Amino acid sequence: MEGPLHVIARANGGTADLSESEQGQRERNGARTFTTVKKPFGTVIQALAKRERKLLAEWRKQLQAPADSEGSFGAHNETDLWTAARKIAKTSFPEFSSQLSGIGDDLARREVAPEEIVGAITGLQNAALACLTRDEQAEAIALLRMSSLASAILLAGYARHGQNRAESVEARLRDAEQRMLGTSSYVT
């Protein structure tokens, strides 16, 4: 699993290759966080589900781009994220990770800026925190931890799409170069 450090390093033009053991450790840490936070987060979702309309209305206000504009986060992904959040109590970590990676991949294909993704997730987090009461501190902490984990997984899916796209372009360039060399030797 590719983490937020990968996204930052790639965005800055660097590389952030991790050994398989480091990647495995990051995945185990993510799974451990998910397992620890899953039950309190489920309590948060139950509380928020009662205020779903208010929560989603507040979140839509915080999303700056129109939901149907090209390259924006959009209502499609709003629904996907909220649906994923509501299913967490019945979801395993691999399913959770796969679903969010898929959303990240979809956003990358639509060329949504990473800043907009982080802004949208932060907006949902803020809207959810605004719906919680002061005496729901444990739930707020669970919400923040799950939000952080979800952001990392979503951005990893986003970055993986970019990496796959770059590898595909490189492969096509190598093929074109081989054809050009073949044609050049034939002409010579």
Side-chain angles (χ1 to χ4, degrees):
M1 175 170 86
E2 198 169 46
L5 293 176
H6 287 87
V7 175
I8 293 167
R10 289 190 205 300
N12 292 329
T15 59
D17 295 324
L18 297 175
S19 69
E20 286 184 33
S21 64
E22 289 172 320
Q23 287 175 341
Q25 183 62 41
R26 288 189 189 279
E27 199 166 308
R28 285 189 296 279
N29 288 343
R32 191 175 317 118
T33 298
F34 180 81
T35 303
T36 303
V37 177
K38 184 176 176 177
K39 186 175 179 179
F41 186 77
T43 305
V44 171
I45 292 301
Q46 286 177 347
L48 292 174
K50 295 172 187 170
R51 302 169 229 164
E52 182 175 340
R53 280 187 178 177
K54 178 183 175 187
L55 169 69
L56 293 178
E58 179 65 28
W59 187 27
R60 284 186 193 103
K61 272 196 271 182
Q62 291 185 26
L63 292 174
Q64 303 216 344
D68 55 18
S69 70
E70 185 63 33
S72 72
F73 191 78
H76 166 70
N77 297 102
E78 265 180 49
T79 307
D80 289 349
L81 281 178
W82 181 243
T83 301
R86 291 189 70 176
K87 291 180 181 178
I88 284 178
K90 300 173 187 164
T91 303
S92 68
F93 179 70
E95 290 172 298
F96 173 74
S97 180
S98 175
Q99 185 174 13
L100 285 176
S101 288
I103 293 171
D105 182 61
D106 177 54
L107 291 168
R109 256 186 270 115
R110 291 184 14 223
E111 297 180 1
V112 176
E115 301 83 31
E116 190 175 343
I117 296 168
V118 172
I121 292 172
T122 302
L124 176 59
Q125 172 185 298
N126 292 340
L129 287 171
C131 289
L132 295 175
T133 63
R134 291 188 185 269
D135 53 329
E136 294 176 307
Q137 290 180 358
E139 289 82 0
I141 291 169
L143 174 72
L144 293 172
R145 289 184 71 193
M146 191 63 79
S147 175
S148 176
L149 178 62
S151 295
I153 293 169
L154 195 101
L155 289 172
Y158 186 96
R160 200 172 332 5
H161 175 82
Q163 181 181 7
N164 292 344
R165 192 177 196 183
E167 288 170 0
S168 172
V169 168
E170 287 175 11
R172 288 189 300 215
L173 286 172
R174 280 192 301 273
D175 289 345
E177 187 177 275
Q178 289 298 322
R179 285 193 308 270
M180 185 181 74
L181 288 172
T183 303
S184 175
S185 66
Y186 175 75
V187 169
T188 302

